[in-house]
Amino acid sequence: MYKLIKLDNGLRIVLEHIPYVSSVSVGVFVQTGSRNENKHNNGISHFIEHMLFKGTNKRAGKEIAETIENVGGQINAFTSKEMTCFYTKSLNTHLDLSLDVLSDILLNSKLADEDIEKEKNVIYEEINMSEDSPEDVLMDLHSIAIWGEDSLSLPILGTKESLKGFNREILKEYMGKYYIPDNSVISICGNFNVTTIESLVDKYFGHWNVNENSKVLTNYSSPLILKDNLYRKKEIEQLHISLGIPGIEMGNDSIYPLLILTNILGREASSILFQKLREEMSICYSVYCGLSSMKNTGIINIYLGLNTAVAAKAINAIKEQMSIFTKKGINEVQLYNGKEQLKGSYILGLESTSSRMFSNGKSALFLNKIKTPEEILNKIDKISMEHVNEVMEHTFKQGIVNSSFVGDISNIDEIISHL
């Protein structure tokens, strides 16, 4: 059973009741991430995510984790380019406790000056750790190649320079502006009392209100996907490459045929690119296609890591395989198999209350509606060859339009020329 309701203060609650499980997953989704920032406060959404676990008027930082973990539950959070999420998973008998803790950290965090300064050091190390990961550096660099000066290109962690200026006043001001009921969704999935759940959520979140500086997030930019190629020198063994192709924005039903095409080209071990570059040519260990769909924009990226000596050879092979793929298209057998694969991976994902909670929360936050499994499976079944060809025309047929490279190489211009 799915239900989307709204409290008097504007907070949306999405419920999925599953009576045959013993767990319940709860997520508080706030519509703010690095996309809502600028160069001066870049990283503030992620910083606030960390700070909300540092203590409230009711609980010390350690107690926040202990309260949930002592009853066998889990509590955590994450920040993306477009949202921040705080979540728990526990036995359904501890739903009241989960809502108590989540509301406490959202609404009563101390944001103490001492904790802020200490946490800066923690996130500096997180940035250092990201710098040591070529894949992380590559994706942040590719975001700039794709979106340029748009805030979508900003790194989620922020920079050491932007973090230096954070203080309690700046954090409180940002939270007062964006951490409001109208920008938020509570998603609950699992076994709970359907007759009392609304009043229970209202007990903990009904007094969450706005101030005169609050801003409801409704308008987002529609950034152009740029044609740019960026390189970052790093003394590592491999050259890491990300190739960008225009994708599809969040909420567009064309995402389903695009997923089929992406899976066939490069998502699985049986895919075209994996079989060509790894199995046949044996020039890389990892090659795959990924999708990113956001408000008003989307991108497909092909990632690979390999010896710099064969980089040009790999790019030529990818372009050749993409050319064949876009000219030939797919046949009815591939379409049928693609649908079954898509349905299989989706249905398997439904077996987790937390994955269902995340999916429902994100859908309610950005689209203000929930698609039931039956609706999604029906959309997949109805994918036609005509729709697949139309999606191919607007995505893969556009070719590689931008790229990023991370590694230690002297002839990067020559390699980029192969694009």
Side-chain angles (χ1 to χ4, degrees), residues 93-344:
T93 51
H94 300 302
L95 173 59
D96 192 298
L97 184 64
S98 291
L99 289 169
D100 180 12
V101 172
L102 288 171
S103 65
D104 192 28
I105 65 174
L106 261 291
L107 306 179
N108 303 311
S109 281
K110 287 185 176 180
L111 302 177
D113 291 324
E114 180 183 358
D115 291 332
I116 290 170
E117 293 308 310
K118 288 169 67 177
E119 201 59 26
K120 286 180 184 180
N121 292 324
V122 173
I123 299 180
Y124 291 158
E125 288 308 310
E126 189 175 359
I127 291 172
N128 290 339
M129 184 172 67
S130 180
E131 277 292 315
D132 285 342
S133 168
E135 292 92 340
D136 288 354
V137 175
L138 184 76
M139 290 306 137
D140 281 344
L141 188 65
H142 199 183
S143 289
I144 300 170
I146 298 165
W147 292 296
E149 291 297 315
D150 191 271
S151 58
L152 260 175
S153 68
L154 295 173
I156 294 167
L157 300 182
T159 66
K160 291 181 181 180
E161 192 60 36
S162 64
L163 264 62
K164 285 178 183 176
F166 293 169
N167 56 39
R168 188 175 191 275
E169 182 182 355
I170 289 171
L171 300 187
K172 291 283 288 184
E173 181 184 0
Y174 191 88
M175 288 189 70
K177 187 174 183 179
Y178 293 115
Y179 277 66
I180 60 173
D182 282 312
N183 290 336
S184 306
V185 163
I186 294 179
S187 178
I188 303 175
C189 178
N191 193 347
F192 52 81
N193 188 323
V194 295
T195 60
T196 62
I197 187 64
E198 184 174 352
S199 62
L200 185 62
V201 177
D202 188 66
K203 171 185 173 182
Y204 290 108
F205 289 92
H207 61 288
W208 185 6
N209 293 311
V210 302
N211 60 46
E212 64 276 8
N213 296 318
S214 298
K215 180 180 179 181
V216 180
L217 291 166
T218 54
N219 297 319
Y220 277 80
S221 62
S222 298
L224 293 174
I225 291 178
L226 306 179
K227 297 182 178 181
D228 201 0
N229 306 293
L230 299 178
Y231 166 64
R232 171 104 175 258
K233 180 179 173 64
K234 211 165 186 57
E235 294 182 1
I236 50 179
E237 292 298 318
Q238 286 190 309
L239 179 65
H240 295 259
I241 304 172
S242 183
L243 308 174
I245 299 155
I248 289 172
E249 72 277 4
M250 179 193 300
N252 190 326
D253 284 346
S254 291
I255 196 68
Y256 301 115
L258 179 58
L259 280 166
I260 289 177
L261 291 174
T262 304
N263 288 344
I264 292 171
L265 182 65
R267 290 278 283 197
E268 309 293 340
S270 60
S271 67
I272 293 168
L273 295 182
F274 189 96
Q275 287 296 310
K276 182 66 178 180
L277 275 79
R278 175 166 163 166
E279 298 302 304
E280 181 183 329
M281 298 174 69
S282 301
I283 58 174
C284 67
Y285 175 78
S286 182
V287 55
Y288 61 83
C289 286
L291 290 181
S292 295
S293 292
M294 288 155 283
K295 295 284 284 186
N296 303 333
T297 189
I299 194 77
I300 305 162
N301 80 290
I302 299 172
Y303 164 83
L304 65 159
L306 73 179
N307 190 298
T308 57
V310 292
K313 186 178 181 181
I315 290 173
N316 288 336
I318 289 171
K319 289 180 65 179
E320 180 184 8
Q321 293 304 310
M322 276 185 57
S323 178
I324 295 169
F325 181 59
T326 56
K327 286 175 182 175
K328 286 179 60 178
I330 64 174
N331 56 43
E332 292 292 346
V333 173
Q334 288 175 307
L335 178 57
Y336 173 80
N337 290 340
K339 291 180 183 181
E340 292 304 300
Q341 183 183 42
L342 212 53
K343 289 190 292 183

